[in-house]
């Protein structure tokens, strides 16, 4: 049995609340990253699909794309797409391998998968401050920040899901805030507040957040910084024309090499 990490009804409520006054700048950043990577591929995609909780980010960028709601079972038809984008949602999945497998099955041969998700270095500063504060105030710890995958593990998951030419790389974005309350308000407006199944179901004491504020490191300008790691996963649906990987499980090929191989050896537009 797959362990239940995320309370999906709570996550849906958080995302609905976020849509009232959204802060989607990181989703916009992810979309720009996808556009840049697609510009490096010498191919025109005619049947794209985007898995997202915030379709407004993608409607103008990919007006012909099928928008698929983020869920544990994705509404993707087998072999229907030449491009599948999984956009900043997979970190909440109870079964990320299942998300990759479903995306892989939805691709035509030599179709491209691009997945972006928050990685393990995301909110590291907040995670430490809250843990230290809770230990000091209550003498215990409770799940408050989503545990996120490390990049070294995700390349192997791509291969496990059946992708060829797998690549996992990441980028870090640092966002400055006035204080932790400002940061938490932004997380609320992103739909990224605590939806863990094992979270506390009662309100936390104000002293906890005051202690976390005191422990959160500040920069010289008296601002705090929150780190967001966006991991980018790239994989292709297998095709006989593709370059074969050097060895199983390596996932060590660079993005430039993978895209160059696809341009050189892949079929024409499809």
């Amino acid at each position: 049995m797959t362990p239940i990490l995320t309370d999906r009804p709570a996550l849906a409520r958080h995302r609905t609340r976020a849509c009232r006054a959204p802060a989607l700048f990181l989703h916009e950043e992810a979309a720009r990253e996808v556009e840049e990577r697609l510009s490096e591929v010498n191919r025109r995609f005619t049947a794209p699909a985007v898995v997202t909780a915030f379709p407004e980010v993608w409607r103008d960028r990919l007006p012909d794309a099928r928008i698929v709601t983020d869920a544990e079972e994705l509404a993707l038809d087998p072999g229907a797409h030449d491009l599948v984008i999984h956009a900043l949602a997979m970190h909440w999945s109870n079964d990320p391998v299942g998300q990759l497998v479903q995306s892989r099955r939805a691709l035509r041969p030599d179709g491209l998968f691009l997945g972006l998700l928050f990685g393990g270095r995301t909110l590291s500063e907040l995670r430490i401050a809250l843990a230290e504060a809770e230990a000091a105030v209550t003498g215990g710890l409770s799940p408050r920040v989503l545990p996120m995958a490390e990049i070294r593990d995700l390349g192997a998951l791509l291969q496990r899901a059946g992708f060829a030419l797998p690549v996992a790389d990441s980028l870090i974005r640092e966002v400055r805030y006035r204080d932790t309350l400002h940061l938490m308000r932004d997380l609320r407006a992103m739909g990224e507040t605590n939806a863990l199944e094992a979270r506390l179901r009662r309100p936390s004491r104000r002293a906890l957040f005051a202690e976390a504020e005191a422990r959160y490191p500040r920069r010289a300008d008296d601002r705090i910084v929150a780190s967001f790691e966006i991991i980018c996963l790239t994989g292709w649906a297998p095709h006989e024309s593709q370059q074969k990987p050097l060895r199983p499980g390596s996932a060590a090929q660079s993005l430039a090499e993978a895209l160059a191989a696809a341009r050189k050896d892949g079929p024409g537009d499809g």
Side-chain angles (χ1 to χ4, degrees):
M1 294 289 292
T2 302
I4 302 300
L5 177 69
T6 299
D7 179 347
R8 298 291 304 192
L11 179 63
R13 291 194 299 271
H14 295 174
R15 287 170 168 173
T16 299
R17 181 180 62 197
C19 287
R20 299 170 192 162
L24 301 181
F25 59 93
L26 290 173
H27 287 265
E28 296 284 352
E29 176 81 8
R32 288 191 291 271
E33 185 69 22
V34 167
E35 288 179 317
E36 182 176 339
R37 289 169 186 247
L38 290 178
S39 72
E40 300 178 28
V41 182
N42 186 24
R43 187 176 306 183
R44 187 172 68 89
F45 296 98
T46 60
V50 181
V51 179
T52 178
F54 299 100
E56 59 269 33
V57 175
W58 295 94
R59 287 197 180 105
D60 291 338
R61 288 183 166 89
L62 291 172
D64 297 328
R66 179 176 179 179
I67 301 297
V68 178
T69 301
D70 169 49
E72 294 296 348
E73 293 187 12
L74 300 175
L76 289 169
D77 297 325
H81 302 285
D82 54 5
L83 171 66
V84 172
I85 299 166
H86 206 305
L88 280 189
M90 200 185 309
H91 52 281
W92 281 113
S93 177
N94 287 310
D95 183 14
V97 175
Q99 295 285 297
L100 292 172
V101 169
Q102 291 177 76
S103 299
R104 159 68 189 87
R105 289 174 178 168
L107 286 171
R108 299 168 184 170
D110 209 36
L112 175 62
F113 171 77
L114 287 172
L116 295 96
L117 66 159
F118 289 125
R121 289 183 283 176
T122 298
L123 296 175
S124 57
E125 304 90 350
L126 180 63
R127 193 188 310 270
I128 293 169
L130 283 173
E132 291 179 350
E134 190 165 20
V137 172
T138 70
L141 290 175
S142 59
R144 293 186 178 274
V145 179
L146 176 71
M148 302 174 208
E150 300 293 337
I151 189 171
R152 62 179 175 271
D153 300 320
L154 289 168
L157 293 187
L158 281 169
Q159 287 195 321
R160 182 176 167 187
F163 285 102
L165 304 173
V167 178
D169 60 287
S170 70
L171 53 100
I172 296 287
R173 292 293 179 263
E174 292 187 342
V175 185
R176 293 178 180 271
Y177 289 97
R178 181 176 59 252
D179 50 34
T180 54
L181 179 60
H182 188 199
L183 166 58
M184 290 179 186
R185 284 176 178 168
D186 238 10
L187 293 175
R188 184 183 179 99
M190 295 178 197
E192 294 291 339
T193 46
N194 191 351
L196 291 168
E197 179 68 25
R199 71 191 185 281
L200 288 178
R201 305 303 174 103
R202 63 179 185 275
S204 297
R205 295 161 55 183
R206 290 184 179 180
L208 169 65
F209 298 108
E211 184 69 22
E213 173 70 20
R215 292 175 178 269
Y216 204 115
R218 287 188 173 271
R219 297 291 177 94
D221 60 359
D222 202 35
R223 297 268 173 162
I224 66 171
V225 170
S227 298
F228 294 89
E229 180 185 24
I230 299 177
I231 294 178
C232 306
L233 305 178
T234 305
W236 298 83
H239 187 272
E240 62 183 8
S241 67
Q242 291 168 348
Q243 175 179 308
K244 299 301 183 290
L246 294 177
R247 62 183 187 280
S250 64
Q253 189 177 27
S254 72
L255 176 62
E257 290 170 340
L259 296 177
R263 288 196 297 267
K264 179 179 177 181
D265 299 323
D269 294 353

